[in-house]
Amino acid sequence: MADSDPFSSVTPFQLPEHVRALAEKGVSQARESYSKLKDAAESQNGTIEAVFSSASKGATDYSAKLVDIVKTNTNASFDFAQALIGAKSLPEALELWTAHARKQVETLTSQTKELAELTQRVAADTVEPIKTHATKLFTPPNA
């Protein structure tokens, strides 16, 4: 029965040592590249999570500031209306109106400045994880 086996006369094929070493080196480099790619992907995920977390907190802070501004302006309008109703003369009503308009311009200027500062802070906080990750990514390991 051994005579009918077509592979019985085949001698095993062996790779030359330099080919085997080259193949092993290729596999080792592939494993190392995969490990680096995996680490980079995991690091990217952390960065993306930090960016979204910062952006979400910033949006919440911005919304809260807008609600506070609306509340302040609404209260100022009601207070003005109540004071206007209590005015005894036209000159007193005009004086109230002028004072209210001046105060509203000052308030609007202040509120606009607060919103601009908040927007800048939120933008900086949101970009910070990206800057930190980019610094780590482009800094040589021995630096």
Side-chain angles (χ1 to χ4, degrees), residues 31-120:
R31 282 187 178 136
E32 185 178 322
S33 295
Y34 171 77
S35 177
K36 287 179 182 178
L37 182 64
K38 181 182 170 196
D39 291 344
E42 288 172 353
S43 177
Q44 288 287 35
N45 286 343
T47 301
I48 290 169
E49 287 173 7
V51 166
F52 280 115
S53 176
S54 294
S56 176
K57 183 186 179 311
T60 300
D61 291 349
Y62 196 84
S63 294
K65 180 50 96 177
L66 287 176
V67 168
D68 184 49
I69 287 172
V70 167
K71 180 181 172 187
T72 299
N73 293 344
T74 302
N75 287 339
S77 294
F78 282 134
D79 291 345
F80 169 65
Q82 188 174 11
L84 196 58
I85 290 171
K88 306 274 189 247
S89 65
L90 184 58
E92 184 181 352
L94 289 175
E95 185 180 326
L96 286 171
W97 201 300
T98 303
H100 174 71
R102 187 178 315 114
K103 184 172 180 175
Q104 282 305 106
V105 168
E106 291 171 4
T107 300
L108 180 62
T109 302
S110 173
Q111 290 168 341
T112 302
K113 182 180 176 185
E114 289 175 16
L115 284 176
E117 290 170 354
L118 179 60
T119 301
Q120 288 175 345

Side-chain angles (χ1 to χ4, degrees), residues 47 51 123-124 126-139:
T47 301
V51 166
T126 301
V127 171
E128 187 59 35
I130 296 170
K131 286 174 34 181
T132 301
H133 180 72
T135 300
K136 288 180 187 176
L137 191 62
F138 294 113
T139 302

